[in-house]
């Protein structure tokens, strides 16, 4: 009887340890109060054909030689932005900046209309999923155009990627956007993009391969109507980045983005 009790106790402990191990391996699921059922499933993250590296495995010199001027790369564990992430929760941002005006832009490649409204109003009335048939000129969401004086205390808590290019400095662009939103294809100087909450899918082409797209159609429309019919030689580089991952894109690379969830994100443009 004692033997059976000991065996049962050992088995119970083993099951408990396995359960604890499984729970510890699961993601926290903390969306900072922003997450909702977006309708985008894991398979909607698509393929990933961009190099993904742990930040500690790549020296600054290797970054310059392999990626800085030639191709994008995704880096994990590059910085610790736990503090910044907590400040970007829905409750924290609305408490601190809910009454502050934010500048919204349309998702049209060549014509960005601007609208200034309080952050609270944007979150309450406009932060919602976008339909595939919406035009870029009809959509409004918050990305960039930050008042750096007003948002300085938040940005001071952000630890930007340490790999910089010679003779450049970083400028931040902070944003919050609903599922299905994103900017259509465009290009500018090099930079980084980090997701704080949510998931953001990226599509990229080198400077000499301009993608086929309509400037007033959204990325979601392009993904549904153009992307499935692309010949293999016209397929983009792509990947979905998650919280704690940083994507670097080189100078003049074409890129479009699609937020798969309500996403909070920050870019560091190197100029």
């Amino acid at each position: 009887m004692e033997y059976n009790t000991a065996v049962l106790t050992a088995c119970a402990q083993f099951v408990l340890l396995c359960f604890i191990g499984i729970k510890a391996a699961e993601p926290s699921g903390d969306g900072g109060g922003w997450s909702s059922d977006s309708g985008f499933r894991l398979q909607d993250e698509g393929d990933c054909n961009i190099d993904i590296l742990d930040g500690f495995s790549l020296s600054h010199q290797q970054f310059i030689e392999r990626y800085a001027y030639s191709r994008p790369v995704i880096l994990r564990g590059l910085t610790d932005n736990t503090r910044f992430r907590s400040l970007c929760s829905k409750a924290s941002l609305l408490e601190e900046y809910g009454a502050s005006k934010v500048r919204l832009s349309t998702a049209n490649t060549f014509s960005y209309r601007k609208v200034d409204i309080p952050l609270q109003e944007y979150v309450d009335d406009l932060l919602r999923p976008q339909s595939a048939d919406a035009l870029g000129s009809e959509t409004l969401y918050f990305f960039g155009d930050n008042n750096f004086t007003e948002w300085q205390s938040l940005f001071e808590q952000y630890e930007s990627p340490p790999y910089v290019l010679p003779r450049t400095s970083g400028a931040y662009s902070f944003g919050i956007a609903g599922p299905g939103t994103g900017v259509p294809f465009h290009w500018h100087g090099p930079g980084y993009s980090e997701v704080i909450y949510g998931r953001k899918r990226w599509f990229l082409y080198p400077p000499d391969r301009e993608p086929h797209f309509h400037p007033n159609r959204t990325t979601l429309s392009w993904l549904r109507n153009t992307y499935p019919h692309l010949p293999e030689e016209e397929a983009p580089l792509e990947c979905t980045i998650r919280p704690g991952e940083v994507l670097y894109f080189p100078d003049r690379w074409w890129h479009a983005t699609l937020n798969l969830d309500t996403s909070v994100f920050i870019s560091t443009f190197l100029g």
Side-chain angles (χ1 to χ4, degrees):
M1 188 70 176
E2 292 179 359
Y3 173 78
N4 289 341
T5 301
V7 170
L8 289 173
T9 301
C11 289
Q13 290 175 338
F14 176 76
V15 171
L16 178 61
L17 287 173
C18 287
F19 175 76
I20 292 173
I22 290 171
K23 293 298 288 182
E26 291 177 351
S28 65
D30 173 26
W34 298 106
S35 59
S36 60
D37 184 7
S38 69
F40 287 102
R41 302 155 298 173
L42 285 176
Q43 50 264 50
D44 292 313
E45 293 187 3
D47 296 326
C48 184
N49 52 14
I50 299 174
D51 290 350
I52 302 176
L53 302 173
D54 291 320
F56 62 82
S57 68
L58 187 71
S59 70
H60 190 187
Q61 185 60 35
Q62 289 171 328
F63 167 75
I64 294 294
E65 293 173 353
R66 299 178 189 175
Y67 300 103
Y69 305 104
S70 58
R71 54 186 170 138
V73 63
I74 295 169
L75 300 167
R76 291 174 173 164
L78 196 58
T79 54
D80 182 3
N81 275 303
T82 304
R83 169 65 176 161
F84 182 76
R85 190 169 188 264
S86 68
L87 294 173
C88 290
S89 70
K90 185 176 182 179
S92 294
L93 275 183
L94 290 180
E95 179 181 0
E96 185 70 23
Y97 299 103
S100 300
K101 290 285 185 69
V102 293
R103 176 159 290 181
L104 311 181
S105 301
T106 56
N108 182 304
T109 296
F110 301 121
S111 177
Y112 290 107
R113 182 166 62 95
K114 309 292 184 180
V115 175
D116 295 335
I117 65 172
L119 177 62
Q120 183 75 61
E121 182 180 338
Y122 169 64
V123 171
D124 291 344
D125 300 338
L126 298 176
L127 191 61
R128 56 178 182 263
Q130 177 177 274
S131 64
D133 58 356
L135 295 176
S137 58
E138 298 171 346
T139 64
L140 286 169
Y141 78 109
F142 174 36
F143 70 104
D145 283 326
N146 309 111
N147 183 323
F148 285 95
T149 301
E150 197 168 26
W151 293 74
Q152 182 177 1
S153 61
L154 177 66
F155 292 157
E156 284 176 347
Q157 301 301 317
Y158 179 65
E159 186 178 347
S160 59
Y163 303 145
V164 296
L165 303 184
R167 298 179 297 279
T168 66
S169 59
Y172 296 142
S173 175
F174 180 76
I176 307 168
T181 63
V183 289
F185 282 104
H186 65 288
W187 61 266
H188 44 66
Y192 296 94
S193 181
E194 179 169 356
V195 171
I196 308 302
Y197 291 108
R199 296 171 296 163
K200 183 185 286 285
R201 189 172 175 182
W202 281 74
F203 307 93
L204 303 103
Y205 289 92
D208 60 349
R209 291 180 56 205
E210 181 175 354
H212 298 291
F213 70 100
H214 189 290
N216 199 32
R217 295 290 181 182
T218 64
T219 303
L220 182 56
S221 173
W222 177 87
L223 178 64
R224 298 276 173 85
N225 301 313
T226 302
Y227 176 88
H229 307 292
L230 292 174
E232 185 176 351
E233 63 274 13
E234 294 184 19
L237 289 180
E238 61 176 292
C239 201
T240 294
I241 61 173
R242 292 169 165 264
E245 298 179 335
V246 178
L247 180 139
Y248 169 79
F249 50 88
D251 186 29
R252 294 184 298 167
W253 271 63
W254 290 93
H255 55 277
T257 62
L258 176 67
N259 296 292
L260 299 183
D261 308 299
T262 297
S263 301
V264 180
F265 44 89
I266 185 168
S267 295
T268 305
F269 296 117
L270 303 175

